[in-house]
Amino acid sequence: MPAGLRRGSGGPAWASPKVLRTETLAGLVVGLALIPEAISFSVIAGVDPKVGLYAACIMAMVIAFVGGRPAMISAATGAVALVVAPVVRAPGLGYLIATVILAGVFQVVLGALGVAKLMRFVPRSVMVGFVNALGILLFTAQIPNLRNVPWAVYPLFVAGLVLIVFFPKLTKAVPAPLVAISVLTVITVAAGIAVPTVGDKGTLPSSLPVPGVPDVPFTLHTLTVIAPYAFAMALVGIMESMMTAKLVDDLTDTRSNKTREAVGQGIANIVTGIFGGMGGCGMIGQTMINVKSGARTRLSTFLAGFFLLVLCIALGPVVSTIPMAALVAVMILVSVGTFDWHSVRPATLKRMPIGETAVMVITVIVVVATGNLSIGVVVGSVTAMIIFARRVAHFTQVTSVTDPDGTQVVYAVTGQLFFASSNDLVTQFDYAGDPEKVVIDLTGTHVWDASSVAALDAIETKYAQQGKTVEIVGLNDSSAHLHGRLSGELVDNH
């Protein structure tokens, strides 16, 4: 049985009545919350709502078995919808389905190649920026549902917030979001209150999805049309899923298999495409709802997709009556809980290095400005690397000691020699004033790249032009190997 469903020799973890109840109710809440999200993302992609809803159902159920992060929710997402929207507008729906399947293939290959391991290069400041930007996006995404609406929406919305905040003080046996959704739905239906409902977002599917082959010509031209979008979707999906998995790791104090998650996302997208869905990836908002509801196993993920399918097909008319005010209240509080408030406290900002804060702010600004979490993570990570390179480069120091008889000078280099620090290294020697014998002691440093070897070669050349000799000593084994292999070979002297 897959990891996350086991409880040791005693059976699966969800076999406990308490855990089973928690996982089931969490899955139900997530299933309800997925409906307006999936419909909204379908609108962004330019497809019928059922295409997004099918994707949400199938992605969640498949990833529950093949994914690497228990309790994480995968479904149709806004980022994926933005990537594939041009395919729908031009070639059409058949090409979208083909794009989703090809993106899944790319993800399986990238996952098998270990691309997920690159997530260790994402700094903590970028993660904090990612979380804060996500909280902002989740919040702003709900604002349209509170503008130009009947006045009754506002008291219902406030009532939903009150129920979600205070109901757990009475009991935690039932998730507060589920209580809020149920109570507000009963009130609006019983009182005949005319407010926007889930049904206003689009028509729910009335039949099970059927597997099939994309309606496209299987030619090289089709491949050239969909491949760029498929590859972009694959990268965006892996990045968002890895960030979501890492966040859940931190929240639950457990570890996940990132490589398995990346491959699992690919498998889930392939299956989703075969069943006519628009594809997707890890959903941090719904995952947060799931985890905050107490879910910790794969069962909640599977049930979220299963309940969504049942809700849409068997209970479509009932689900359609759920007031949007209830779901908006759930998502608003999720966004508030997602934001890392500690990171923006004055005391924290005062202690934090300015570079760390700058990376966090840049990540937030880029994500909010573009609406794309992946772009923000890339820009934030690159910014962090540049700041780190500049900081480390300044740690490189050169000190000199001249022998009393004036026949030799010894330069001691400390710090790390790489492309950012080696360029300044060349300027820290007195080529004209030094004696005939120069010793460069590299015991306190490490030579990391060809730029550093080239800098050492340049120093030797400048001294040679003055008729002086240079001896380089103190290289560790790795540095000596790199220096011996590249020294004198980096410039074409012919």
Side-chain angles (χ1 to χ4, degrees):
M1 189 172 289
L5 291 180
R6 287 192 290 264
R7 190 180 55 184
S9 59
W14 48 263
S16 160
K18 181 179 179 181
V19 175
L20 180 60
R21 182 180 67 248
T22 299
E23 297 291 316
T24 301
L25 293 176
L28 179 57
V29 171
V30 173
L32 287 168
L34 278 171
I35 294 173
E37 295 282 317
I39 294 174
S40 299
F41 298 146
S42 299
V43 173
I44 293 174
V47 297
D48 191 273
K50 69 179 182 181
V51 178
L53 289 166
Y54 283 157
C57 298
I58 298 167
M59 283 288 296
M61 288 191 288
V62 174
I63 204 69
F65 292 95
V66 300
R69 173 64 261 178
M72 182 170 136
I73 304 297
S74 292
T77 62
V80 168
L82 289 170
V83 171
V84 300
V87 182
V88 181
R89 287 195 297 267
L93 181 60
Y95 283 80
L96 166 63
I97 303 304
T99 299
V100 172
I101 295 174
L102 182 58
V105 173
F106 282 146
Q107 286 178 325
V108 171
V109 174
L110 291 172
L113 292 176
V115 171
K117 295 178 181 178
L118 295 177
M119 288 304 298
R120 68 178 182 268
F121 293 107
V122 178
R124 179 186 178 280
S125 53
V126 175
M127 275 295 297
V128 173
F130 169 86
V131 169
N132 290 345
L134 177 66
I136 294 172
L137 288 179
L138 289 174
F139 184 89
T140 56
Q142 309 311 313
I143 293 177
N145 294 311
L146 297 174
R147 296 174 60 185
N148 301 318
V149 293
W151 68 268
V153 168
Y154 301 108
L156 287 171
F157 168 67
V158 173
L161 294 177
V162 171
L163 279 170
I164 297 171
V165 171
F166 292 104
F167 186 80
K169 298 182 184 300
L170 299 177
T171 178
K172 294 184 179 179
V174 181
L178 181 59
V179 173
I181 292 171
S182 302
V183 170
L184 294 186
T185 301
V186 171
I187 290 174
T188 54
V189 173
I193 303 174
V195 292
T197 64
V198 169
D200 296 328
K201 288 288 184 179
T203 304
L204 302 182
S206 57
S207 61
L208 292 172
V210 178
V213 178
D215 184 18
V216 297
F218 290 86
T219 63
L220 182 60
H221 173 71
T222 299
L223 181 63
T224 57
V225 169
I226 67 174
Y229 297 103
F231 191 68
M233 176 182 164
L235 292 179
V236 167
I238 286 179
M239 187 173 295
E240 287 212 34
S241 300
M242 294 304 102
M243 296 293 284
T244 304
K246 191 173 188 304
L247 182 60
V248 178
D249 290 352
D250 295 338
L251 288 173
T252 60
D253 197 24
T254 57
R255 295 184 63 184
S256 59
N257 188 329
K258 303 298 190 301
T259 297
R260 176 177 172 179
E261 181 62 36
V263 173
Q265 289 291 327
I267 295 172
N269 271 312
I270 292 172
V271 176
T272 300
I274 291 174
F275 278 89
M278 60 179 278
C281 62
M283 291 191 78
I284 192 147
Q286 315 308 3
T287 298
M288 288 293 291
I289 294 176
N290 198 41
V291 173
K292 297 281 186 181
S293 297
R296 293 294 183 272
T297 77
R298 299 175 185 275
L299 180 63
S300 58
T301 304
F302 175 82
L303 290 178
F306 176 76
F307 283 144
L308 175 59
L309 194 61
V310 173
L311 288 167
C312 290
I313 297 175
L315 301 175
V318 176
V319 174
S320 297
T321 63
I322 295 175
M324 285 300 300
L327 296 177
V328 170
V330 172
M331 294 306 296
I332 287 290
L333 288 180
V334 167
S335 69
V336 172
T338 300
F339 195 92
D340 186 352
W341 296 100
H342 177 75
S343 68
V344 296
R345 289 175 54 191
T348 304
L349 294 174
K350 186 177 181 180
R351 288 193 298 267
M352 194 68 63
I354 187 66
E356 299 281 324
T357 302
V359 170
M360 180 192 72
V361 172
I362 288 172
T363 302
V364 171
I365 291 174
V366 173
V367 171
V368 173
T370 62
N372 191 313
L373 294 165
S374 303
I375 295 176
V377 169
V378 171
V379 173
S381 298
V382 171
T383 303
M385 291 176 187
I386 293 172
I387 292 174
F388 174 76
R390 286 177 58 84
R391 185 184 303 157
V392 174
H394 292 157
F395 290 158
T396 304
Q397 296 180 338
V398 179
T399 56
S400 63
V401 177
T402 304
D403 284 355
D405 58 7
T407 60
Q408 175 178 287
V409 61
V410 178
Y411 284 93
V413 181
T414 57
Q416 302 298 311
L417 286 182
F418 65 112
F419 62 89
S421 60
S422 58
N423 291 329
D424 293 334
L425 184 68
V426 181
T427 65
Q428 301 189 50
F429 296 84
D430 186 2
Y431 300 102
D434 282 341
E436 293 185 359
K437 178 69 181 296
V438 178
V439 177
I440 301 178
D441 185 1
L442 301 181
T443 304
T445 188
H446 185 94
V447 179
W448 287 102
D449 56 14
S451 297
S452 303
V453 176
L456 294 173
D457 284 354
I459 293 169
E460 290 188 82
T461 300
K462 286 180 178 292
Y463 275 116
Q465 292 171 349
Q466 298 287 335
K468 302 170 183 179
T469 61
V470 175
E471 180 183 4
I472 297 177
V473 300
L475 287 167
N476 57 39
D477 291 343
S478 177
S479 299
H481 177 72
L482 182 66
H483 183 264
R485 193 173 74 228
L486 297 180
S487 182
E489 302 295 331
L490 297 173
V491 178
D492 187 0
N493 296 315
H494 301 288

